[in-house]
Amino acid sequence: MSTPSILSRLRQLPADPAPNSWLLQTPAWDGPLCRVRLDNTGAAPQAVHDWLLFDGELGIDPAAAIYGEGFQMLAQTMGSWQAPQPVGRSPDSSAYRITADQGYHTVHNLLLVEQAAGWLLLAFASCQRFGGEFRLYPSGRLQILMNGEGRTLAPGQHWQSEALLCLEGPDREALLAALATHIEAEHGSLVDSVSTRPSGWCSWYHYYAEVSAADIRENLAVRAERFPALRYVQIDDGYQAKMGDWLTPSAKFEQGVAALAREIHAAGCEPALWVAPFIAEPGSQVFQDHPDWFVKGDDGLPLPSERVTYGGWRCTPWYVLDGTHPEVQAHLERVFRTLRQQWGIHYFKLDANFWGAIHGGQFHDPSATRVEAYRRGMAAVLRGAGEGAFLLGCNAPIWPSLGLVHGMRVSDDVERHGPRFRQIAREAFCRAWQSDRLWALDPDCVCLRDLPSQQASEADYQFHLAALVASGGMVLAGDRLRDLDEVQAGQLRKLLALCEARTPAARFDDMSFSRGRVTLPDGGELLCLFNWDDGEREVEVPAGALDFWDERPLGQHISLQVGQGRVLVYR
């Protein structure tokens, strides 16, 4: 007699008993998809916090390897069920204080579990109103829930859960591709509206907040001479007078950003702009003039974000525009319509988006969840930016952004250090299945030159380059362009050619991410090799393989140094 599958066991798990007899749960399965209906059959309103859909043991080995998504971009989980490990440096439960995680570990919206015969995938294919959570207990117990956030379900009314997808199979990437198909059915995708995969130059990673209009003009001129394939010139954080006052330039942009955008157009490329639409610092005009537009604390005053979550990286404390407020929606739409129609900008890097879905505050619409608050605000941004715009989500709530952005940053900020290169590579590889399905994937900038405070070895930079090839995403240069030597310039041009051809992300043998293959449009193949170990490693390579960067022929074996990455090409 065969052992029942994990999915059949999940179907047999009873929904968690409701907190009282007036709440009735009814699961409905449609193939691998399940939606649970919650009815208030009583005469009084019911506040719902943790809305448990399923709770119990599925017979999963607690030592099983896992991958889990975070609520926000900087959180992911690997390791095992009983010993989960953060992939990056900003876990949801600690750095962002989103979940308590007392005696369990929370994974948001997507959980992969390695089994003897393949993989189990549990994921929410939608995120219209509620955030989905999986609580992993060391014993093997699993809770699947919607975060009700204490919202009130009125008598005689019902809620519908987000769509829970349950799949098993031997091929991890095939399961993730199936998830992408279900997400597209629930949310659509803005990818098809983008004719080319974006490439460009970004001011942040050399100048940071000290950028000036003169810096932009210098790199604009070098771009025309050496790197005409860079389509966008992205003016990042530092151009604005205050966080929140995006239409008011700082003194370093004396003629204004609109005039600079016209210069960029005249030079034959496109201006792009960094905006953090949901946040404002205390001294900003928008906060001074409209304190009623901001998410409130229990005291009825605007809530400083640091009180409930990570407070931000500069110009703090940050206050959060309330996406449920009609006047905020009109404000966001007006700002982006001005940037598009009057300033001529259609590419926007939207940063600090997580704060638009802040927890622990009070919204203008008390019935709205944080997911709804964020999605209403983002819908206003989309309306203002207009048709043909490109919105890049950054430091964003991942699943709440579905269907609302054209591109998504999927890794931490790049820094020129070996450990950071390896960290952001692993983050991007875990999300590579999203590329050109949910959105264009942004693995962050190409940085090939040391700074006084950031220094890496040659092997580290080779790892960084190989990771960008394997990520299959957008390409934005982050160095001062005139500083790039001819070897580095050639490497950047090779990346730009892959970007223009929309080469896919690498398909890895497993989640050790040591060996991945990229199929080229002309029928050739790239082999991306990574050494994550503490010692040198010898690798066998296909006959006739060439080094991708300088096209030198290679023997049958190559040696990978500690922390080194290589890209080989062969036909």
Side-chain angles (χ1 to χ4, degrees), residues 1 33 53 86 154 201 213 247-248 255 290 336 367 395 422 466 520:
M1 187 174 180
L33 279 176
L53 308 182
W201 173 80
L247 302 180
T248 306
Q255 295 177 323
H290 302 285
F336 281 87
S367 69
N395 207 319
R422 292 187 284 277
L520 296 172

Side-chain angles (χ1 to χ4, degrees), residues 104-128:
Y104 56 84
H105 176 79
T106 301
V107 162
H108 295 264
N109 294 305
L110 167 62
L111 172 64
L112 278 168
V113 185
E114 190 169 17
Q115 302 288 289
W119 293 86
L120 166 68
L121 180 147
L122 299 174
F124 286 95
S126 66
C127 189
Q128 302 284 4

Side-chain angles (χ1 to χ4, degrees), residues 66-77:
I66 64 167
Y67 171 73
E69 263 299 339
F71 183 81
Q72 45 86 25
M73 182 195 82
L74 296 175
Q76 294 163 282
T77 299

Side-chain angles (χ1 to χ4, degrees), residues 506-524:
R507 184 179 177 91
F508 283 93
D509 296 341
D510 52 47
M511 291 193 77
S512 70
F513 300 126
S514 297
R515 190 182 188 98
R517 293 173 175 81
V518 178
T519 302
L520 296 172
D522 65 2

Side-chain angles (χ1 to χ4, degrees), residues 345-357:
I345 298 171
H346 71 266
Y347 177 121
F348 301 99
K349 176 183 175 182
L350 305 181
D351 207 349
N353 271 23
F354 159 75
W355 281 262

Side-chain angles (χ1 to χ4, degrees), residues 74-98:
L74 296 175
Q76 294 163 282
T77 299
M78 293 185 77
S80 69
W81 186 292
Q82 63 188 359
Q85 298 294 324
V87 176
R89 60 193 177 100
S90 300
D92 282 325
S93 59
S94 54
Y96 280 76
R97 290 138 58 193
I98 293 172

Side-chain angles (χ1 to χ4, degrees), residues 211 364 387 430 433 454 477 510 530:
V211 67
H364 177 78
E387 188 175 349
C430 287
W433 63 275
Q454 298 179 25
D510 52 47
F530 301 92

Side-chain angles (χ1 to χ4, degrees), residues 367-425:
S367 69
T369 65
R370 59 184 175 177
V371 172
E372 290 176 305
Y374 172 71
R375 292 185 67 83
R376 291 178 197 178
M378 282 297 296
V381 170
L382 266 172
R383 290 194 299 271
E387 188 175 349
F390 184 89
L391 302 185
L392 174 68
C394 188
N395 207 319
I398 294 285
W399 251 244
S401 298
L402 291 170
L404 293 172
V405 294
H406 305 80
M408 178 64 78
R409 263 284 295 283
V410 291
S411 66
D412 202 346
D413 284 11
V414 66
E415 286 186 0
R416 298 157 178 88
H417 301 298
R420 182 61 66 84
F421 285 151
R422 292 187 284 277
Q423 174 201 324
I424 64 175

